[in-house]
Amino acid sequence: MTSAAAPEAGGDVTDLVDAADRDSVERTMDGDTQAFAGIVRRHGATLVAVCARMVADRSLGEELAQEALARTYSSLGSWRGDGRFRHWLYRIGMNCCRDYIKAGARAERPAETFAADEPFHNRDPERELGDRELAEALESAIAQLPAANREAFVLFHTENLDYEQIHAITGVSVSALKVRVHRARVMLKKALADLRRAS
Amino acid sequence: MQDERLASWLDGELDEAEAQEFLSSLSEAERREAWEFAAIAGTARRLPRPAPAEGFTARAMARVLARRPPRRSLWTWLRAPRLSPLAALGGAALVAAGAFGLAAWLDGARTRPGPAAHGQPALATVAHTQPPPATVLARLAIRAPQARQVAVAGDFNGWNPEAAHMRRGQAGVWILELPLAAGHRYEYMFVVDGQWVTDPQAPASVDDGFGGRNAVLQL
């Protein structure tokens, strides 16, 4: 059996990103506030993607990502520097999402699916339609997952992070994360089966 | 069906033989169910990523800079790792070795078709191959074995990474050849799975005005 704790994806490139992050943090702390734009540019898209999936709303996800970046900037001085900077940043992002979800503000908003905007590149039109329907149904089902399961599923399956990285971001143990991801898969399978039966 | 084994299979923790053994241990109905789980995982991986709207960086920076500037706490400062003189010397030696290797490779590239001729792909380097009179075919490469998508954005394509996707070559090296004007100077960055990365092997780079550095390609 291979190890679940795979090395950080893209070893050399992620080291490079980490070095660039540390450089941006140092320069920001030294008073070059524009240096923080490097962090925004390197990680803004991931933050938006994760936050948008957590709250099932793209524009709200962007809002939460901006808030996470602003909170990170203000508290840069408290970053201990003993891990990857982006794991700390994403943790702040996840906390922003949790705060929002806990506040219950999401309850009144309909879940948004992102699959309809970009077609799956499939040459078979029937299959494309099937894939698209499955993707849309899956997006809706992900939005209905309990927050803890959604968080683990999104980071593992849609952001393609490994369990060690997710542990570094969320602080949840690897074994608990595995349980959460699998429970999410079971819930999603049931939700999709219910949807099929209903239609 | 054993949930734990199924989860390990879906998490990609089983090697090929273990996966075969797991699947063959299932009844037909269980196998169908296992593949339904796999389809969910596969579809989730291919879901389109919600992307930030245009101008996100500027909007985010406006919000960031409206906040209280960060302050270094004494405790953090005391605990921060310091670069030792020995490590600095080691780093300088590595940079020098890298620069020497790149210079030697570029020198050799003038007399051979490209790095692949050596059977060893170049790492984030640029070479001239078969130059026509007014344009050169610039080859850009970066090693990113785990990346899912790599593109290059620069002033030759309006800084649009969607306009120049790189193809995955051997040993996790991503490559793209671009016909560019001879004698011109270009700035560019790689975009690895959505993250902007300065070419680690570029002979020169310049401040991009956003806290990063653009690699410089002088043809």
Side-chain angles (χ1 to χ4, degrees):
Chain A
M1 187 181 288
T2 56
S3 166
E8 184 92 19
D12 48 358
V13 171
T14 51
D15 286 348
L16 208 65
V17 170
D18 200 43
D21 286 346
R22 285 174 182 276
D23 180 60
S24 295
V25 170
E26 278 302 309
R27 286 163 56 196
T28 305
M29 292 303 297
D30 288 343
D32 178 9
T33 50
Q34 284 298 326
F36 195 79
I39 286 164
V40 176
R41 204 171 52 170
R42 279 190 292 279
H43 304 295
T46 299
L47 271 175
V48 170
V50 171
C51 293
R53 283 204 197 289
M54 284 304 294
V55 297
D57 185 314
R58 188 197 304 260
S59 59
L60 184 56
E62 192 170 312
E63 170 77 13
L64 289 168
Q66 285 184 21
E67 175 60 22
L69 287 160
R71 284 191 199 176
T72 302
Y73 171 77
S74 290
S75 46
L76 268 187
S78 65
W79 182 50
R80 292 178 301 178
D82 53 0
R84 291 198 186 281
F85 173 78
R86 64 182 173 283
H87 290 163
W88 186 65
L89 169 65
Y90 296 160
R91 179 182 287 214
I92 292 173
M94 298 312 292
N95 285 340
C96 287
C97 295
R98 285 175 192 164
D99 291 349
Y100 179 82
I101 292 166
K102 272 183 199 160
R106 179 177 159 269
E108 292 173 15
R109 305 174 75 101
E112 182 183 350
T113 62
F114 311 108
D117 298 351
E118 300 171 42
F120 275 70
H121 299 292
N122 237 311
R123 289 197 172 82
D124 178 350
E126 277 188 24
R127 190 174 165 201
E128 183 177 325
L129 187 63
D131 282 352
R132 188 191 293 251
E133 283 172 353
L134 176 60
E136 286 181 12
L138 186 59
E139 292 267 27
S140 300
I142 290 171
Q144 301 305 319
L145 288 172
N149 298 88
R150 193 179 338 137
E151 179 182 274
F153 183 88
V154 164
L155 293 174
F156 186 77
H157 275 307
T158 70
E159 289 305 311
N160 216 18
L161 300 179
D162 63 42
Y163 284 121
E164 286 296 334
Q165 290 170 305
I166 303 172
H167 162 67
I169 293 166
T170 61
V172 178
S173 72
V174 169
S175 55
L177 286 169
K178 287 184 176 187
V179 170
R180 286 182 186 183
V181 169
H182 194 60
R183 280 192 187 149
R185 288 188 293 237
V186 171
M187 285 185 261
L188 290 173
K189 182 169 168 291
K190 184 178 179 306
L192 292 177
D194 289 346
L195 199 68
R196 263 197 299 271
R197 266 195 296 275
S199 63
Chain B
M1 185 172 6
Q2 288 180 7
D3 256 16
E4 199 179 318
R5 200 70 172 152
L6 171 67
S8 297
W9 178 64
L10 291 167
D11 288 348
E13 293 178 351
L14 303 187
D15 63 29
E16 204 173 327
E18 289 169 329
Q20 286 296 334
E21 186 191 334
F22 165 69
L23 288 171
S24 58
S25 73
L26 303 176
S27 68
E28 197 178 325
E30 286 174 332
R31 201 173 305 131
R32 199 179 310 121
E33 197 184 351
W35 283 114
E36 281 176 31
F37 274 115
I40 289 171
T43 303
R45 285 198 179 91
R46 294 195 309 274
L47 285 176
R49 225 174 175 221
E54 200 176 328
F56 172 78
T57 300
R59 286 194 302 280
M61 280 306 288
R63 185 158 173 172
V64 161
L65 296 178
R67 297 290 171 96
R68 176 182 61 81
R71 286 186 195 159
R72 209 185 291 269
S73 73
L74 179 62
W75 176 240
T76 306
W77 186 86
L78 288 172
R79 290 192 61 204
R82 304 269 178 260
L83 186 66
S84 72
L86 197 61
L89 276 174
L94 273 176
V95 169
F100 177 79
L102 180 62
W105 186 88
L106 284 174
D107 188 46
R110 295 191 187 103
T111 55
R112 59 175 186 261
H118 263 330
Q120 194 63 260
L123 306 184
T125 53
V126 180
H128 299 206
T129 57
Q130 300 172 339
T135 62
V136 292
L137 195 61
R139 171 180 290 188
L140 287 89
I142 183 167
R143 187 168 183 274
Q146 302 295 323
R148 288 180 295 178
Q149 195 175 57
V150 181
V152 62
D155 41 20
F156 42 74
N157 66 3
W159 291 95
N160 177 13
E162 292 305 313
H165 285 280
M166 302 178 82
R167 68 179 187 279
R168 192 188 178 92
Q170 288 181 340
V173 177
W174 295 72
I175 299 163
L176 183 69
E177 282 102 7
L178 289 168
L180 298 174
H184 279 236
R185 175 185 176 279
Y186 296 95
E187 293 182 20
Y188 67 99
M189 285 187 90
F190 292 121
V191 185
V192 180
D193 287 340
Q195 292 183 326
W196 291 70
V197 176
T198 308
D199 184 344
Q201 301 266 354
S205 63
V206 293
D207 194 328
D208 67 356
F210 294 98
R213 294 195 74 77
N214 295 333
V216 174
L217 171 60
Q218 179 66 58
L219 296 174

